[in-house]
Amino acid sequence: MRLLYFAWVKEKAGIAAEEIAVPQDVATIAELIAWLKTRGPEFENAFARSEVIRAAIDQTHVRHDAKIAGAHEIAFFPPVTGG
């Protein structure tokens, strides 16, 4: 599975993208975020405010309770404001 990180999530994680094998017991975006936080202080810091982080599965915005089974790409990014 390919994970993409954008804006301050990328800056805090220290990487923009990675190919990763996610444990089989990780089934949702929320569980993926929780697991990512265990991968080191940079990920714990990047996802410290996980409630505001947005996610997309295969370029479709999803909620944190979305299932990740079959996903090819998951992107994480902060909320976007603009006009």
Side-chain angles (χ1 to χ4, degrees):
M1 177 178 304
R2 183 168 176 77
L3 301 183
L4 305 174
Y5 308 102
F6 292 96
W8 55 258
V9 180
K10 174 178 77 172
E11 292 169 13
K12 292 178 180 185
I15 58 173
E18 63 180 326
E19 294 287 336
I20 193 162
V22 176
Q24 288 185 343
D25 63 336
V26 173
T28 66
I29 291 291
E31 291 173 0
L32 178 58
I33 289 172
W35 177 75
L36 287 169
K37 287 180 175 182
T38 70
R39 295 180 62 217
E42 65 279 9
F43 285 98
E44 187 174 344
N45 189 29
F47 290 96
R49 295 179 55 213
S50 60
E51 71 280 359
V52 302
I53 293 176
R54 303 294 183 247
I57 295 177
D58 296 330
Q59 301 183 7
T60 299
H61 289 200
V62 296
R63 294 172 20 154
H64 284 205
D65 61 354
K67 301 287 186 191
I68 64 170
H72 298 290
E73 176 184 273
I74 299 176
F76 295 103
F77 47 92
V80 179
T81 61

PDB file of all heavy atoms in Angstrom, residues 36-62:
ATOM      1  N   LEU A  36       0.268   4.004  12.787  1.00  0.00           N
ATOM      2  CA  LEU A  36       1.352   4.871  12.324  1.00  0.00           C
ATOM      3  C   LEU A  36       2.005   5.606  13.493  1.00  0.00           C
ATOM      4  O   LEU A  36       3.221   5.781  13.516  1.00  0.00           O
ATOM      5  CB  LEU A  36       0.840   5.874  11.285  1.00  0.00           C
ATOM      6  CG  LEU A  36       0.518   5.299   9.910  1.00  0.00           C
ATOM      7  CD1 LEU A  36      -0.228   6.322   9.059  1.00  0.00           C
ATOM      8  CD2 LEU A  36       1.789   4.836   9.205  1.00  0.00           C
ATOM      9  N   LYS A  37       1.219   6.018  14.461  1.00  0.00           N
ATOM     10  CA  LYS A  37       1.758   6.723  15.636  1.00  0.00           C
ATOM     11  C   LYS A  37       2.767   5.876  16.402  1.00  0.00           C
ATOM     12  O   LYS A  37       3.640   6.417  17.076  1.00  0.00           O
ATOM     13  CB  LYS A  37       0.632   7.123  16.588  1.00  0.00           C
ATOM     14  CG  LYS A  37      -0.215   8.260  16.115  1.00  0.00           C
ATOM     15  CD  LYS A  37      -1.284   8.532  17.176  1.00  0.00           C
ATOM     16  CE  LYS A  37      -2.124   9.717  16.887  1.00  0.00           C
ATOM     17  NZ  LYS A  37      -3.111   9.955  17.954  1.00  0.00           N
ATOM     18  N   THR A  38       2.688   4.551  16.288  1.00  0.00           N
ATOM     19  CA  THR A  38       3.605   3.673  17.014  1.00  0.00           C
ATOM     20  C   THR A  38       4.941   3.503  16.293  1.00  0.00           C
ATOM     21  O   THR A  38       5.845   2.872  16.833  1.00  0.00           O
ATOM     22  CB  THR A  38       2.992   2.269  17.234  1.00  0.00           C
ATOM     23  OG1 THR A  38       2.912   1.567  15.988  1.00  0.00           O
ATOM     24  CG2 THR A  38       1.625   2.361  17.892  1.00  0.00           C
ATOM     25  N   ARG A  39       5.059   4.074  15.103  1.00  0.00           N
ATOM     26  CA  ARG A  39       6.260   3.853  14.288  1.00  0.00           C
ATOM     27  C   ARG A  39       7.413   4.781  14.633  1.00  0.00           C
ATOM     28  O   ARG A  39       8.464   4.702  14.019  1.00  0.00           O
ATOM     29  CB  ARG A  39       5.920   3.983  12.807  1.00  0.00           C
ATOM     30  CG  ARG A  39       4.970   2.893  12.350  1.00  0.00           C
ATOM     31  CD  ARG A  39       4.632   3.001  10.899  1.00  0.00           C
ATOM     32  NE  ARG A  39       5.820   2.860  10.077  1.00  0.00           N
ATOM     33  CZ  ARG A  39       6.035   3.544   8.949  1.00  0.00           C
ATOM     34  NH1 ARG A  39       5.153   4.418   8.529  1.00  0.00           N
ATOM     35  NH2 ARG A  39       7.126   3.350   8.252  1.00  0.00           N
ATOM     36  N   GLY A  40       7.230   5.669  15.592  1.00  0.00           N
ATOM     37  CA  GLY A  40       8.324   6.536  15.998  1.00  0.00           C
ATOM     38  C   GLY A  40       7.829   7.925  16.343  1.00  0.00           C
ATOM     39  O   GLY A  40       6.689   8.290  16.035  1.00  0.00           O
ATOM     40  N   PRO A  41       8.694   8.712  16.982  1.00  0.00           N
ATOM     41  CA  PRO A  41       8.281  10.040  17.436  1.00  0.00           C
ATOM     42  C   PRO A  41       7.860  10.977  16.313  1.00  0.00           C
ATOM     43  O   PRO A  41       6.977  11.823  16.497  1.00  0.00           O
ATOM     44  CB  PRO A  41       9.501  10.579  18.180  1.00  0.00           C
ATOM     45  CG  PRO A  41      10.642   9.721  17.758  1.00  0.00           C
ATOM     46  CD  PRO A  41      10.066   8.403  17.339  1.00  0.00           C
ATOM     47  N   GLU A  42       8.455  10.828  15.133  1.00  0.00           N
ATOM     48  CA  GLU A  42       8.072  11.696  14.022  1.00  0.00           C
ATOM     49  C   GLU A  42       6.627  11.434  13.587  1.00  0.00           C
ATOM     50  O   GLU A  42       5.869  12.361  13.292  1.00  0.00           O
ATOM     51  CB  GLU A  42       9.037  11.568  12.838  1.00  0.00           C
ATOM     52  CG  GLU A  42       9.066  10.221  12.165  1.00  0.00           C
ATOM     53  CD  GLU A  42       9.907   9.153  12.848  1.00  0.00           C
ATOM     54  OE1 GLU A  42      10.386   9.348  13.980  1.00  0.00           O
ATOM     55  OE2 GLU A  42      10.079   8.089  12.232  1.00  0.00           O
ATOM     56  N   PHE A  43       6.209  10.170  13.590  1.00  0.00           N
ATOM     57  CA  PHE A  43       4.825   9.845  13.227  1.00  0.00           C
ATOM     58  C   PHE A  43       3.863  10.188  14.367  1.00  0.00           C
ATOM     59  O   PHE A  43       2.757  10.651  14.127  1.00  0.00           O
ATOM     60  CB  PHE A  43       4.692   8.373  12.832  1.00  0.00           C
ATOM     61  CG  PHE A  43       5.256   8.080  11.484  1.00  0.00           C
ATOM     62  CD1 PHE A  43       6.530   7.556  11.345  1.00  0.00           C
ATOM     63  CD2 PHE A  43       4.533   8.359  10.336  1.00  0.00           C
ATOM     64  CE1 PHE A  43       7.063   7.299  10.094  1.00  0.00           C
ATOM     65  CE2 PHE A  43       5.051   8.110   9.076  1.00  0.00           C
ATOM     66  CZ  PHE A  43       6.326   7.579   8.958  1.00  0.00           C
ATOM     67  N   GLU A  44       4.306   9.974  15.590  1.00  0.00           N
ATOM     68  CA  GLU A  44       3.476  10.362  16.733  1.00  0.00           C
ATOM     69  C   GLU A  44       3.209  11.871  16.685  1.00  0.00           C
ATOM     70  O   GLU A  44       2.091  12.323  16.908  1.00  0.00           O
ATOM     71  CB  GLU A  44       4.167   9.976  18.038  1.00  0.00           C
ATOM     72  CG  GLU A  44       3.301  10.184  19.238  1.00  0.00           C
ATOM     73  CD  GLU A  44       3.941   9.663  20.510  1.00  0.00           C
ATOM     74  OE1 GLU A  44       4.904   8.875  20.438  1.00  0.00           O
ATOM     75  OE2 GLU A  44       3.464  10.054  21.578  1.00  0.00           O
ATOM     76  N   ASN A  45       4.231  12.638  16.346  1.00  0.00           N
ATOM     77  CA  ASN A  45       4.089  14.095  16.231  1.00  0.00           C
ATOM     78  C   ASN A  45       3.214  14.468  15.034  1.00  0.00           C
ATOM     79  O   ASN A  45       2.340  15.335  15.134  1.00  0.00           O
ATOM     80  CB  ASN A  45       5.482  14.725  16.110  1.00  0.00           C
ATOM     81  CG  ASN A  45       5.447  16.223  16.209  1.00  0.00           C
ATOM     82  OD1 ASN A  45       4.581  16.806  16.860  1.00  0.00           O
ATOM     83  ND2 ASN A  45       6.392  16.868  15.572  1.00  0.00           N
ATOM     84  N   ALA A  46       3.418  13.810  13.904  1.00  0.00           N
ATOM     85  CA  ALA A  46       2.652  14.121  12.689  1.00  0.00           C
ATOM     86  C   ALA A  46       1.163  13.870  12.876  1.00  0.00           C
ATOM     87  O   ALA A  46       0.328  14.594  12.323  1.00  0.00           O
ATOM     88  CB  ALA A  46       3.184  13.305  11.509  1.00  0.00           C
ATOM     89  N   PHE A  47       0.821  12.854  13.648  1.00  0.00           N
ATOM     90  CA  PHE A  47      -0.583  12.479  13.839  1.00  0.00           C
ATOM     91  C   PHE A  47      -1.111  12.828  15.231  1.00  0.00           C
ATOM     92  O   PHE A  47      -2.140  12.313  15.647  1.00  0.00           O
ATOM     93  CB  PHE A  47      -0.771  10.986  13.533  1.00  0.00           C
ATOM     94  CG  PHE A  47      -0.619  10.669  12.077  1.00  0.00           C
ATOM     95  CD1 PHE A  47       0.586  10.213  11.571  1.00  0.00           C
ATOM     96  CD2 PHE A  47      -1.676  10.859  11.207  1.00  0.00           C
ATOM     97  CE1 PHE A  47       0.743   9.934  10.216  1.00  0.00           C
ATOM     98  CE2 PHE A  47      -1.541  10.581   9.853  1.00  0.00           C
ATOM     99  CZ  PHE A  47      -0.332  10.125   9.361  1.00  0.00           C
ATOM    100  N   ALA A  48      -0.406  13.703  15.937  1.00  0.00           N
ATOM    101  CA  ALA A  48      -0.816  14.085  17.286  1.00  0.00           C
ATOM    102  C   ALA A  48      -2.219  14.690  17.298  1.00  0.00           C
ATOM    103  O   ALA A  48      -2.975  14.485  18.237  1.00  0.00           O
ATOM    104  CB  ALA A  48       0.190  15.059  17.891  1.00  0.00           C
ATOM    105  N   ARG A  49      -2.567  15.422  16.264  1.00  0.00           N
ATOM    106  CA  ARG A  49      -3.904  16.016  16.155  1.00  0.00           C
ATOM    107  C   ARG A  49      -4.700  15.243  15.097  1.00  0.00           C
ATOM    108  O   ARG A  49      -5.232  15.807  14.158  1.00  0.00           O
ATOM    109  CB  ARG A  49      -3.781  17.492  15.778  1.00  0.00           C
ATOM    110  CG  ARG A  49      -3.093  18.313  16.868  1.00  0.00           C
ATOM    111  CD  ARG A  49      -2.943  19.772  16.511  1.00  0.00           C
ATOM    112  NE  ARG A  49      -4.236  20.339  16.162  1.00  0.00           N
ATOM    113  CZ  ARG A  49      -4.403  21.303  15.254  1.00  0.00           C
ATOM    114  NH1 ARG A  49      -3.372  21.793  14.618  1.00  0.00           N
ATOM    115  NH2 ARG A  49      -5.600  21.766  14.994  1.00  0.00           N
ATOM    116  N   SER A  50      -4.787  13.952  15.285  1.00  0.00           N
ATOM    117  CA  SER A  50      -5.396  13.081  14.270  1.00  0.00           C
ATOM    118  C   SER A  50      -6.840  13.445  13.972  1.00  0.00           C
ATOM    119  O   SER A  50      -7.322  13.202  12.867  1.00  0.00           O
ATOM    120  CB  SER A  50      -5.289  11.615  14.675  1.00  0.00           C
ATOM    121  OG  SER A  50      -5.951  11.378  15.897  1.00  0.00           O
ATOM    122  N   GLU A  51      -7.542  14.045  14.928  1.00  0.00           N
ATOM    123  CA  GLU A  51      -8.944  14.397  14.693  1.00  0.00           C
ATOM    124  C   GLU A  51      -9.116  15.446  13.595  1.00  0.00           C
ATOM    125  O   GLU A  51     -10.186  15.530  12.996  1.00  0.00           O
ATOM    126  CB  GLU A  51      -9.613  14.864  15.998  1.00  0.00           C
ATOM    127  CG  GLU A  51      -9.161  16.227  16.500  1.00  0.00           C
ATOM    128  CD  GLU A  51      -7.821  16.246  17.247  1.00  0.00           C
ATOM    129  OE1 GLU A  51      -7.192  15.187  17.423  1.00  0.00           O
ATOM    130  OE2 GLU A  51      -7.416  17.349  17.652  1.00  0.00           O
ATOM    131  N   VAL A  52      -8.076  16.226  13.304  1.00  0.00           N
ATOM    132  CA  VAL A  52      -8.202  17.235  12.242  1.00  0.00           C
ATOM    133  C   VAL A  52      -7.609  16.778  10.916  1.00  0.00           C
ATOM    134  O   VAL A  52      -7.807  17.417   9.887  1.00  0.00           O
ATOM    135  CB  VAL A  52      -7.574  18.596  12.651  1.00  0.00           C
ATOM    136  CG1 VAL A  52      -8.224  19.128  13.906  1.00  0.00           C
ATOM    137  CG2 VAL A  52      -6.068  18.509  12.784  1.00  0.00           C
ATOM    138  N   ILE A  53      -6.877  15.684  10.943  1.00  0.00           N
ATOM    139  CA  ILE A  53      -6.252  15.188   9.709  1.00  0.00           C
ATOM    140  C   ILE A  53      -7.304  14.563   8.810  1.00  0.00           C
ATOM    141  O   ILE A  53      -8.152  13.795   9.246  1.00  0.00           O
ATOM    142  CB  ILE A  53      -5.132  14.187  10.029  1.00  0.00           C
ATOM    143  CG1 ILE A  53      -3.990  14.933  10.730  1.00  0.00           C
ATOM    144  CG2 ILE A  53      -4.631  13.489   8.764  1.00  0.00           C
ATOM    145  CD1 ILE A  53      -2.872  14.048  11.190  1.00  0.00           C
ATOM    146  N   ARG A  54      -7.247  14.913   7.545  1.00  0.00           N
ATOM    147  CA  ARG A  54      -8.152  14.366   6.540  1.00  0.00           C
ATOM    148  C   ARG A  54      -7.451  13.213   5.827  1.00  0.00           C
ATOM    149  O   ARG A  54      -6.223  13.137   5.784  1.00  0.00           O
ATOM    150  CB  ARG A  54      -8.538  15.436   5.510  1.00  0.00           C
ATOM    151  CG  ARG A  54      -9.167  16.669   6.119  1.00  0.00           C
ATOM    152  CD  ARG A  54     -10.512  16.324   6.729  1.00  0.00           C
ATOM    153  NE  ARG A  54     -11.161  17.508   7.268  1.00  0.00           N
ATOM    154  CZ  ARG A  54     -11.383  17.717   8.554  1.00  0.00           C
ATOM    155  NH1 ARG A  54     -11.004  16.846   9.442  1.00  0.00           N
ATOM    156  NH2 ARG A  54     -11.993  18.810   8.957  1.00  0.00           N
ATOM    157  N   ALA A  55      -8.249  12.328   5.250  1.00  0.00           N
ATOM    158  CA  ALA A  55      -7.695  11.169   4.545  1.00  0.00           C
ATOM    159  C   ALA A  55      -8.431  10.964   3.232  1.00  0.00           C
ATOM    160  O   ALA A  55      -9.593  11.339   3.087  1.00  0.00           O
ATOM    161  CB  ALA A  55      -7.816   9.921   5.404  1.00  0.00           C
ATOM    162  N   ALA A  56      -7.725  10.356   2.290  1.00  0.00           N
ATOM    163  CA  ALA A  56      -8.322   9.970   1.013  1.00  0.00           C
ATOM    164  C   ALA A  56      -7.825   8.574   0.671  1.00  0.00           C
ATOM    165  O   ALA A  56      -6.649   8.262   0.847  1.00  0.00           O
ATOM    166  CB  ALA A  56      -7.938  10.944  -0.082  1.00  0.00           C
ATOM    167  N   ILE A  57      -8.744   7.749   0.218  1.00  0.00           N
ATOM    168  CA  ILE A  57      -8.398   6.410  -0.264  1.00  0.00           C
ATOM    169  C   ILE A  57      -8.574   6.430  -1.773  1.00  0.00           C
ATOM    170  O   ILE A  57      -9.657   6.740  -2.278  1.00  0.00           O
ATOM    171  CB  ILE A  57      -9.302   5.334   0.365  1.00  0.00           C
ATOM    172  CG1 ILE A  57      -9.059   5.264   1.874  1.00  0.00           C
ATOM    173  CG2 ILE A  57      -9.050   3.973  -0.294  1.00  0.00           C
ATOM    174  CD1 ILE A  57      -9.955   4.286   2.610  1.00  0.00           C
ATOM    175  N   ASP A  58      -7.495   6.120  -2.478  1.00  0.00           N
ATOM    176  CA  ASP A  58      -7.510   6.116  -3.942  1.00  0.00           C
ATOM    177  C   ASP A  58      -8.161   7.395  -4.488  1.00  0.00           C
ATOM    178  O   ASP A  58      -9.028   7.352  -5.362  1.00  0.00           O
ATOM    179  CB  ASP A  58      -8.185   4.854  -4.470  1.00  0.00           C
ATOM    180  CG  ASP A  58      -7.408   3.603  -4.079  1.00  0.00           C
ATOM    181  OD1 ASP A  58      -6.167   3.684  -3.932  1.00  0.00           O
ATOM    182  OD2 ASP A  58      -8.024   2.549  -3.904  1.00  0.00           O
ATOM    183  N   GLN A  59      -7.747   8.527  -3.919  1.00  0.00           N
ATOM    184  CA  GLN A  59      -8.122   9.875  -4.344  1.00  0.00           C
ATOM    185  C   GLN A  59      -9.582  10.234  -4.077  1.00  0.00           C
ATOM    186  O   GLN A  59     -10.120  11.146  -4.694  1.00  0.00           O
ATOM    187  CB  GLN A  59      -7.742  10.110  -5.805  1.00  0.00           C
ATOM    188  CG  GLN A  59      -6.256   9.943  -6.027  1.00  0.00           C
ATOM    189  CD  GLN A  59      -5.826  10.244  -7.439  1.00  0.00           C
ATOM    190  OE1 GLN A  59      -6.603  10.700  -8.269  1.00  0.00           O
ATOM    191  NE2 GLN A  59      -4.556  10.022  -7.719  1.00  0.00           N
ATOM    192  N   THR A  60     -10.223   9.535  -3.138  1.00  0.00           N
ATOM    193  CA  THR A  60     -11.575   9.866  -2.713  1.00  0.00           C
ATOM    194  C   THR A  60     -11.542  10.158  -1.216  1.00  0.00           C
ATOM    195  O   THR A  60     -11.089   9.318  -0.434  1.00  0.00           O
ATOM    196  CB  THR A  60     -12.546   8.701  -2.979  1.00  0.00           C
ATOM    197  OG1 THR A  60     -12.564   8.439  -4.386  1.00  0.00           O
ATOM    198  CG2 THR A  60     -13.953   9.034  -2.508  1.00  0.00           C
ATOM    199  N   HIS A  61     -12.005  11.336  -0.828  1.00  0.00           N
ATOM    200  CA  HIS A  61     -12.021  11.705   0.583  1.00  0.00           C
ATOM    201  C   HIS A  61     -12.898  10.731   1.364  1.00  0.00           C
ATOM    202  O   HIS A  61     -13.979  10.372   0.905  1.00  0.00           O
ATOM    203  CB  HIS A  61     -12.558  13.124   0.767  1.00  0.00           C
ATOM    204  CG  HIS A  61     -11.599  14.161   0.275  1.00  0.00           C
ATOM    205  ND1 HIS A  61     -11.661  15.465   0.680  1.00  0.00           N
ATOM    206  CD2 HIS A  61     -10.553  14.107  -0.575  1.00  0.00           C
ATOM    207  CE1 HIS A  61     -10.710  16.156   0.092  1.00  0.00           C
ATOM    208  NE2 HIS A  61     -10.032  15.347  -0.680  1.00  0.00           N
ATOM    209  N   VAL A  62     -12.398  10.340   2.541  1.00  0.00           N
ATOM    210  CA  VAL A  62     -13.120   9.389   3.381  1.00  0.00           C
ATOM    211  C   VAL A  62     -13.059   9.833   4.840  1.00  0.00           C
ATOM    212  O   VAL A  62     -12.201  10.612   5.237  1.00  0.00           O
ATOM    213  CB  VAL A  62     -12.545   7.960   3.254  1.00  0.00           C
ATOM    214  CG1 VAL A  62     -12.721   7.413   1.845  1.00  0.00           C
ATOM    215  CG2 VAL A  62     -11.093   7.901   3.701  1.00  0.00           C
TER     216      VAL A  62
END
